[in-house]
Amino acid sequence: MASLASGRLAKMSVEHQQPVSYVLNVGEHAIPMSSFIGKSLRIVSNGEIRCSHCQRKTKKSFSQGYCYPCFISLPQCDRCMMSPELCHYQAGTCRDTAWSEDFCFQEHIVYLANSSGLKVGITRHTQMPTRWIDQGAVEALPIFSVATRQLSGLVEVMMKEWVADKTNWRKMLKHDISPVDLKLEREKLMVLAKEGLADLQSRYPDQITPLTQEPLSFEYPHIQWPEKIKTFNLDKQTEVEGTLIAIKGQYLIFDTGCFNVRKHSSYDISLYSDVIIPTTDLTSDTEKEANLL
């Protein structure tokens, strides 16, 4: 096989087309992965992981690309990133108040999506529709705009009484998904959550705005979907090889198993293929930083 690229792996960049367009970022190279559907690929670990923040060499990647010291000190790795309702900014214990004021005190969206069934979630308004594509959703619908990340978490927690907030990633990868009428589910939730919403809106006046947008739908590049799910782990094996049959979420789906790109962020790898397709160099610092988020 011919060498396509070597370097540190970062999450795939996406563009909302039908089907979604994927670009794999390896070191300085941007590789149009959608063009490799049906082609043979090999991913080889070069035996090195470097923290995406401090560049320190590390034996293990934490929180998708960080060394342990950064994992326990950076605000983007704090527990409130996974559970925004636990924000402790007002308690004065935020890991980095300047970072939080920029990241957390901006508009967030509460949404419904169908990735393996109906779920509720949150995202920054700037991450639509990337967030939904990264989750492998086939459809998504924004239902609230809220003023802060913590408030989006409070709305989500309330909605979890009636709607799941997790994706069954195995069903998602199999594309084993039944249709869901997201607009109808939104209307049902508005009735079920009426009292809870009224309480939150009285506590946070003018900070929760219901949305009446139309759903967005997503198709993913594929020639077939896997019947059984086997995942690869570069901590346990040094090579991954197979025919690329699909791409969904942040997974490369081979006929031999599934490779979670985001899980392997900051791993140094080499990529090989039986065909050569032109790649793009990532030369600007802005591009490099964006691809690590």
Side-chain angles (χ1 to χ4, degrees), residues 189-203:
L189 269 176
M190 292 301 180
V191 175
L192 292 169
K194 184 177 179 179
E195 292 185 8
L197 282 171
D199 177 62
L200 281 175
Q201 288 172 325
S202 67
R203 291 161 52 196

PDB file of all heavy atoms in Angstrom, residues 189-203:
ATOM      1  N   LEU A 189     -43.372  17.004  24.423  1.00  0.00           N
ATOM      2  CA  LEU A 189     -42.505  17.421  25.527  1.00  0.00           C
ATOM      3  C   LEU A 189     -42.939  18.761  26.112  1.00  0.00           C
ATOM      4  O   LEU A 189     -42.850  18.988  27.322  1.00  0.00           O
ATOM      5  CB  LEU A 189     -41.052  17.518  25.045  1.00  0.00           C
ATOM      6  CG  LEU A 189     -40.190  16.270  25.186  1.00  0.00           C
ATOM      7  CD1 LEU A 189     -38.818  16.512  24.575  1.00  0.00           C
ATOM      8  CD2 LEU A 189     -40.050  15.858  26.645  1.00  0.00           C
ATOM      9  N   MET A 190     -43.372  19.655  25.261  1.00  0.00           N
ATOM     10  CA  MET A 190     -43.809  20.970  25.734  1.00  0.00           C
ATOM     11  C   MET A 190     -44.975  20.823  26.723  1.00  0.00           C
ATOM     12  O   MET A 190     -45.075  21.578  27.690  1.00  0.00           O
ATOM     13  CB  MET A 190     -44.234  21.849  24.558  1.00  0.00           C
ATOM     14  CG  MET A 190     -43.093  22.248  23.647  1.00  0.00           C
ATOM     15  SD  MET A 190     -41.799  23.175  24.514  1.00  0.00           S
ATOM     16  CE  MET A 190     -40.653  23.458  23.159  1.00  0.00           C
ATOM     17  N   VAL A 191     -45.825  19.842  26.488  1.00  0.00           N
ATOM     18  CA  VAL A 191     -46.949  19.593  27.397  1.00  0.00           C
ATOM     19  C   VAL A 191     -46.463  18.919  28.673  1.00  0.00           C
ATOM     20  O   VAL A 191     -46.790  19.343  29.789  1.00  0.00           O
ATOM     21  CB  VAL A 191     -48.023  18.733  26.701  1.00  0.00           C
ATOM     22  CG1 VAL A 191     -49.128  18.370  27.686  1.00  0.00           C
ATOM     23  CG2 VAL A 191     -48.602  19.468  25.502  1.00  0.00           C
ATOM     24  N   LEU A 192     -45.655  17.880  28.509  1.00  0.00           N
ATOM     25  CA  LEU A 192     -45.181  17.133  29.668  1.00  0.00           C
ATOM     26  C   LEU A 192     -44.316  17.986  30.596  1.00  0.00           C
ATOM     27  O   LEU A 192     -44.366  17.837  31.826  1.00  0.00           O
ATOM     28  CB  LEU A 192     -44.377  15.911  29.197  1.00  0.00           C
ATOM     29  CG  LEU A 192     -45.156  14.803  28.491  1.00  0.00           C
ATOM     30  CD1 LEU A 192     -44.198  13.801  27.860  1.00  0.00           C
ATOM     31  CD2 LEU A 192     -46.083  14.101  29.480  1.00  0.00           C
ATOM     32  N   ALA A 193     -43.515  18.864  30.001  1.00  0.00           N
ATOM     33  CA  ALA A 193     -42.551  19.656  30.784  1.00  0.00           C
ATOM     34  C   ALA A 193     -43.060  21.060  31.098  1.00  0.00           C
ATOM     35  O   ALA A 193     -42.285  21.915  31.529  1.00  0.00           O
ATOM     36  CB  ALA A 193     -41.229  19.750  30.020  1.00  0.00           C
ATOM     37  N   LYS A 194     -44.357  21.294  30.913  1.00  0.00           N
ATOM     38  CA  LYS A 194     -44.909  22.648  31.056  1.00  0.00           C
ATOM     39  C   LYS A 194     -44.596  23.268  32.415  1.00  0.00           C
ATOM     40  O   LYS A 194     -44.136  24.412  32.506  1.00  0.00           O
ATOM     41  CB  LYS A 194     -46.418  22.604  30.817  1.00  0.00           C
ATOM     42  CG  LYS A 194     -47.080  23.973  30.857  1.00  0.00           C
ATOM     43  CD  LYS A 194     -48.567  23.862  30.545  1.00  0.00           C
ATOM     44  CE  LYS A 194     -49.224  25.238  30.601  1.00  0.00           C
ATOM     45  NZ  LYS A 194     -50.684  25.142  30.279  1.00  0.00           N
ATOM     46  N   GLU A 195     -44.822  22.517  33.483  1.00  0.00           N
ATOM     47  CA  GLU A 195     -44.605  23.075  34.825  1.00  0.00           C
ATOM     48  C   GLU A 195     -43.127  23.323  35.089  1.00  0.00           C
ATOM     49  O   GLU A 195     -42.746  24.363  35.634  1.00  0.00           O
ATOM     50  CB  GLU A 195     -45.186  22.142  35.880  1.00  0.00           C
ATOM     51  CG  GLU A 195     -46.697  22.058  35.865  1.00  0.00           C
ATOM     52  CD  GLU A 195     -47.230  21.219  37.013  1.00  0.00           C
ATOM     53  OE1 GLU A 195     -46.434  20.827  37.895  1.00  0.00           O
ATOM     54  OE2 GLU A 195     -48.450  20.939  37.031  1.00  0.00           O
ATOM     55  N   GLY A 196     -42.285  22.362  34.714  1.00  0.00           N
ATOM     56  CA  GLY A 196     -40.850  22.530  34.927  1.00  0.00           C
ATOM     57  C   GLY A 196     -40.285  23.695  34.137  1.00  0.00           C
ATOM     58  O   GLY A 196     -39.440  24.457  34.633  1.00  0.00           O
ATOM     59  N   LEU A 197     -40.748  23.854  32.895  1.00  0.00           N
ATOM     60  CA  LEU A 197     -40.286  24.973  32.073  1.00  0.00           C
ATOM     61  C   LEU A 197     -40.720  26.306  32.667  1.00  0.00           C
ATOM     62  O   LEU A 197     -39.946  27.269  32.699  1.00  0.00           O
ATOM     63  CB  LEU A 197     -40.842  24.835  30.656  1.00  0.00           C
ATOM     64  CG  LEU A 197     -40.150  23.823  29.749  1.00  0.00           C
ATOM     65  CD1 LEU A 197     -40.940  23.640  28.463  1.00  0.00           C
ATOM     66  CD2 LEU A 197     -38.719  24.274  29.436  1.00  0.00           C
ATOM     67  N   ALA A 198     -41.962  26.361  33.150  1.00  0.00           N
ATOM     68  CA  ALA A 198     -42.461  27.597  33.750  1.00  0.00           C
ATOM     69  C   ALA A 198     -41.625  27.991  34.960  1.00  0.00           C
ATOM     70  O   ALA A 198     -41.315  29.171  35.176  1.00  0.00           O
ATOM     71  CB  ALA A 198     -43.930  27.431  34.140  1.00  0.00           C
ATOM     72  N   ASP A 199     -41.236  26.983  35.745  1.00  0.00           N
ATOM     73  CA  ASP A 199     -40.403  27.245  36.923  1.00  0.00           C
ATOM     74  C   ASP A 199     -39.033  27.791  36.515  1.00  0.00           C
ATOM     75  O   ASP A 199     -38.555  28.790  37.082  1.00  0.00           O
ATOM     76  CB  ASP A 199     -40.239  25.965  37.735  1.00  0.00           C
ATOM     77  CG  ASP A 199     -39.317  26.161  38.927  1.00  0.00           C
ATOM     78  OD1 ASP A 199     -39.631  26.963  39.806  1.00  0.00           O
ATOM     79  OD2 ASP A 199     -38.246  25.505  38.955  1.00  0.00           O
ATOM     80  N   LEU A 200     -38.395  27.138  35.527  1.00  0.00           N
ATOM     81  CA  LEU A 200     -37.088  27.615  35.065  1.00  0.00           C
ATOM     82  C   LEU A 200     -37.183  29.006  34.457  1.00  0.00           C
ATOM     83  O   LEU A 200     -36.315  29.863  34.690  1.00  0.00           O
ATOM     84  CB  LEU A 200     -36.497  26.643  34.044  1.00  0.00           C
ATOM     85  CG  LEU A 200     -35.840  25.368  34.576  1.00  0.00           C
ATOM     86  CD1 LEU A 200     -35.409  24.471  33.425  1.00  0.00           C
ATOM     87  CD2 LEU A 200     -34.641  25.694  35.464  1.00  0.00           C
ATOM     88  N   GLN A 201     -38.238  29.271  33.693  1.00  0.00           N
ATOM     89  CA  GLN A 201     -38.382  30.581  33.058  1.00  0.00           C
ATOM     90  C   GLN A 201     -38.649  31.677  34.075  1.00  0.00           C
ATOM     91  O   GLN A 201     -38.252  32.826  33.865  1.00  0.00           O
ATOM     92  CB  GLN A 201     -39.489  30.522  32.004  1.00  0.00           C
ATOM     93  CG  GLN A 201     -39.065  29.733  30.767  1.00  0.00           C
ATOM     94  CD  GLN A 201     -40.200  29.493  29.793  1.00  0.00           C
ATOM     95  OE1 GLN A 201     -41.339  29.299  30.196  1.00  0.00           O
ATOM     96  NE2 GLN A 201     -39.898  29.479  28.509  1.00  0.00           N
ATOM     97  N   SER A 202     -39.277  31.328  35.195  1.00  0.00           N
ATOM     98  CA  SER A 202     -39.482  32.329  36.256  1.00  0.00           C
ATOM     99  C   SER A 202     -38.174  32.614  36.994  1.00  0.00           C
ATOM    100  O   SER A 202     -37.932  33.746  37.437  1.00  0.00           O
ATOM    101  CB  SER A 202     -40.546  31.841  37.241  1.00  0.00           C
ATOM    102  OG  SER A 202     -40.097  30.703  37.974  1.00  0.00           O
ATOM    103  N   ARG A 203     -37.308  31.587  37.095  1.00  0.00           N
ATOM    104  CA  ARG A 203     -36.016  31.771  37.768  1.00  0.00           C
ATOM    105  C   ARG A 203     -34.990  32.435  36.860  1.00  0.00           C
ATOM    106  O   ARG A 203     -34.079  33.120  37.331  1.00  0.00           O
ATOM    107  CB  ARG A 203     -35.487  30.412  38.248  1.00  0.00           C
ATOM    108  CG  ARG A 203     -36.292  29.817  39.385  1.00  0.00           C
ATOM    109  CD  ARG A 203     -36.046  28.313  39.521  1.00  0.00           C
ATOM    110  NE  ARG A 203     -34.634  27.977  39.597  1.00  0.00           N
ATOM    111  CZ  ARG A 203     -34.144  26.750  39.410  1.00  0.00           C
ATOM    112  NH1 ARG A 203     -34.972  25.750  39.125  1.00  0.00           N
ATOM    113  NH2 ARG A 203     -32.854  26.522  39.516  1.00  0.00           N
TER     114      ARG A 203
END
